[in-house]
């Protein structure tokens, strides 16, 4: 861009601000984007549905954690003693499983009881141990409890027969797990919340990005943008659109995060809520920087197209980038995760996951966020040039080379 053109644009910006009062044009566009979308039924319905889904999922999870599974275990005369042992020891193995024994006369009675759903499973001895027979599907909770109790009972009998104890037989055979950072439950929570962070970024960037690109195409195809361009500078139009959609995405994100943290406080993981506050704040910062950069690129994808049908072609690179970020955020671990946490824009989803897992030095998020911010600045600068030079070209789909080299 020449010095004369930059001087002209700055003069245009100042002249427009004088004509419209103290409020700059980009702020008018931002307000229009926010008001038009936030009052749109589809936006409101989508947000409410997502909140309802979050509340429902958290409520269902909490209910499942507190719910006790009641199972009936059928026992023929040759298995009554073992079934009684399972019934008695079940709470010690899994306090969410309650076993009730139903005595049956013989095999035929057991099969009848299974077919008529009078029992969930039938325990009986076989040549190499014991077997649980069910009607058509395995009773997983009962199988786990029965396996643990039967193993303990058989080991006790075998140990007594050879004059020793179960403890002596099992001495030195246990395998435990440990973590350099935290514990198993904390790692599971961090993994689950990290996936939520990745999904929220992917969802927001894709949905709002496509909507931003579509609005650019609609204004371009209908020639409304030519009227807008005569009234305000294109760079302020771009800034308003990007900031407006960023504000909307942030509003949704904050709602989802608030609902998620409040909902989590009603589950057995409520003790982790304070520890999640810091990583969540970092995620919001990374989300903001990453979203602004990608929103600008989505606006460019819209400006390169002249018709709605062209959007699929112009947005394909961005869609692929979204998938790379999603799968990278979900699947990367170890050294590859550490490296990716510094590479924009993937760092927007990977570094928050590392912060959740713990063990990150204080300077690492700052460095990653700084690199992401630099990436965002460069992206906005490049995107602004491409946007201005492609937006008013309506002769067909514009290539990146044509947009970059064309005169303003």
């Amino acid at each position: 861009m020449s010095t004369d053109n930059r001087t002209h644009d700055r003069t245009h910006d100042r002249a427009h601000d004088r004509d419209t009062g103290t409020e700059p044009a980009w702020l008018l566009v931002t307000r229009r984007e926010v008001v038009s979308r936030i009052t749109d039924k589809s936006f409101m319905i989508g947000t409410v549905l997502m909140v309802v889904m979050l509340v429902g999922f958290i409520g269902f999870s909490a209910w499942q954690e507190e719910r006790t599974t009641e199972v009936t275990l059928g026992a023929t005369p040759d298995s009554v003693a073992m079934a009684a042992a399972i019934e008695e020891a079940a709470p010690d193995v899994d306090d969410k499983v309650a076993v009730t024994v139903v005595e049956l006369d013989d095999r035929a009675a057991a099969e009848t009881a299974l077919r008529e759903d009078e029992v969930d499973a039938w325990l009986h001895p076989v040549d190499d141990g014991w077997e649980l027979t069910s009607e058509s599907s395995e009773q997983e909770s009962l199988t786990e409890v029965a396996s643990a109790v039967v193993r303990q009972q058989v080991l006790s009998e075998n140990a007594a027969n050879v004059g020793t104890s179960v403890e002596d037989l099992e001495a030195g055979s246990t395998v435990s797990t440990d973590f350099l950072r935290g514990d198993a439950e904390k790692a599971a929570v961090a993994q689950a919340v990290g996936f939520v962070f990745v999904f929220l970024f992917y969802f927001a960037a894709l949905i709002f990005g496509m909507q931003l690109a579509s609005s650019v195409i609609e204004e371009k195809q209908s020639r409304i943008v030519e009227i807008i361009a005569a009234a305000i500078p294109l760079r302020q139009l771009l800034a308003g659109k990007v900031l407006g959609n960023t504000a909307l995405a942030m509003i949704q994100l904050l709602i989802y995060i608030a609902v998620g943290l409040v909902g989590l406080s009603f589950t057995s993981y409520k003790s982790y809520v304070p520890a999640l506050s810091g990583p969540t704040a970092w995620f919001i910062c990374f989300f903001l920087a990453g979203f602004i950069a990608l929103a600008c690129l989505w606006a460019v994808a819209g400006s390169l197209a002249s018709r709605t049908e062209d959007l699929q072609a112009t947005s394909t690179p961005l869609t692929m980038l979204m998938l790379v970020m999603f799968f990278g955020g979900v699947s990367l671990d170890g050294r590859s995760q550490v490296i990716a946490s510094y590479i924009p824009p993937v760092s927007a989803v990977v570094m928050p996951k590392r912060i959740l897992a713990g063990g990150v030095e204080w300077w690492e998020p700052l460095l990653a966020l700084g690199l992401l911010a630099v990436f965002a600045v460069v992206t906005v600068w490049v995107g602004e040039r491409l946007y201005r030079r492609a937006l008013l070209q309506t002769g067909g789909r514009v290539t990146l080379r044509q947009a970059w080299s064309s005169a303003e």
Side-chain angles (χ1 to χ4, degrees):
M1 182 177 178
S2 66
T3 303
D4 291 341
N5 284 337
R6 286 196 296 269
T7 302
H8 172 74
D9 286 343
R10 286 194 293 269
T11 302
H12 188 189
D13 291 352
R14 289 193 294 269
H16 180 271
D17 291 344
R18 286 196 302 270
D19 292 340
T20 59
T22 58
E23 191 170 52
W26 63 267
L27 190 55
L28 291 171
V29 177
T30 301
R31 183 184 295 112
R32 184 194 69 171
E33 290 287 321
V34 172
V35 172
S36 64
R37 288 295 313 284
I38 211 167
T39 56
D40 182 60
K41 287 185 178 179
S42 61
F43 176 83
M44 297 299 295
I45 292 173
T47 303
V48 171
L49 283 177
M50 182 63 78
V51 170
V52 170
M53 289 173 61
L54 281 173
V55 172
F57 175 76
I58 294 172
F60 178 77
S61 300
W63 175 73
Q64 282 287 87
E65 290 175 4
E66 299 299 325
R67 176 173 171 263
T68 298
T69 302
E70 297 182 358
V71 292
T72 53
L73 177 62
T76 43
D78 54 359
S79 60
V80 170
M82 184 63 76
I86 294 174
E87 181 181 27
E88 182 180 355
D92 297 328
V93 178
D94 188 343
D95 60 358
K96 301 300 181 185
V97 178
V99 179
T100 301
V101 174
V102 176
E103 296 187 20
L104 304 168
D105 294 333
D106 50 28
R107 182 184 186 92
E111 292 177 352
T112 301
L114 286 172
R115 293 191 186 95
E116 296 180 357
D117 289 331
E118 295 176 0
V119 296
D120 295 308
W122 164 42
L123 178 71
H124 57 100
V126 292
D127 293 339
D128 57 348
W130 295 83
E131 184 175 275
L132 274 177
T133 300
S134 53
E135 201 275 326
S136 59
S137 61
E138 182 180 354
Q139 304 294 320
E140 294 183 2
S141 58
L142 177 59
T143 300
E144 292 176 2
V145 169
S147 298
V149 175
V150 168
R151 179 179 181 277
Q152 188 67 25
Q153 290 290 112
V154 173
L155 278 176
S156 297
E157 293 176 5
N158 292 342
N161 291 335
V162 296
T164 184
S165 65
V166 175
E167 290 75 15
D168 291 337
L169 288 176
E170 293 183 336
S173 65
T174 58
V175 177
S176 60
T177 59
D178 193 15
F179 290 80
L180 290 177
R181 302 187 302 270
D183 52 36
E185 188 175 61
K186 180 181 177 181
V189 172
Q191 186 72 17
V193 176
F195 175 81
V196 171
F197 283 174
V198 174
F199 176 78
L200 285 177
F201 189 97
Y202 173 79
F203 177 80
L206 189 63
I207 297 300
F208 283 97
M210 289 295 291
Q211 291 173 348
L212 174 57
S214 297
S215 70
V216 171
I217 295 175
E218 289 173 4
E219 293 175 352
K220 183 176 180 179
Q221 192 171 5
S222 62
R223 298 298 183 94
I224 293 177
V225 70
E226 297 177 9
I227 301 174
I228 298 175
I232 65 173
L234 291 181
R235 62 160 53 92
Q236 295 208 25
L237 175 62
L238 173 63
K241 283 185 170 295
V242 170
L243 292 176
N245 281 271
T246 301
L248 290 166
M250 287 296 295
I251 290 172
Q252 272 198 347
L253 177 70
L254 293 175
I255 291 174
Y256 298 155
I257 287 177
V259 171
L261 290 178
V262 171
L264 198 63
S265 65
F266 289 95
T267 69
S268 60
Y269 301 105
K270 59 185 177 182
S271 60
Y272 292 103
V273 173
L276 291 174
S277 302
T280 300
W282 275 112
F283 171 66
I284 292 172
C285 295
F286 277 92
F287 178 92
L288 181 61
F291 186 89
I292 288 176
L294 294 174
C296 191
L297 295 180
W298 279 108
V300 171
S303 68
L304 294 175
S306 293
R307 303 174 305 158
T308 304
E309 293 79 3
D310 297 332
L311 180 58
Q312 183 176 359
T314 59
S315 65
T316 295
L318 271 175
T319 304
M320 298 301 296
L321 178 60
M322 293 287 94
L323 291 173
V324 169
M325 292 181 66
F326 178 79
F327 288 110
V330 170
S331 61
L332 289 178
D333 57 9
R335 185 175 297 275
S336 60
Q337 185 186 60
V338 174
I339 294 173
S341 66
Y342 298 105
I343 302 176
V346 182
S347 58
V349 293
V350 177
M351 181 55 81
K353 282 194 66 177
R354 287 191 60 208
I355 296 172
L356 276 169
V360 177
E361 297 294 335
W362 64 268
W363 54 267
E364 293 186 76
L366 292 175
L367 176 59
L369 186 58
L371 293 173
L372 183 61
V374 171
F375 172 80
V377 170
V378 173
T379 302
V380 169
W381 177 77
V382 173
E384 184 261 348
R385 171 170 175 154
L386 293 170
Y387 177 84
R388 285 189 292 107
R389 299 188 176 201
L391 189 61
L392 298 179
Q393 297 188 40
T394 57
R397 197 169 72 218
V398 184
T399 65
L400 288 173
R401 178 177 296 180
Q402 291 171 338
W404 184 262
S405 59
S406 63
E408 298 194 44

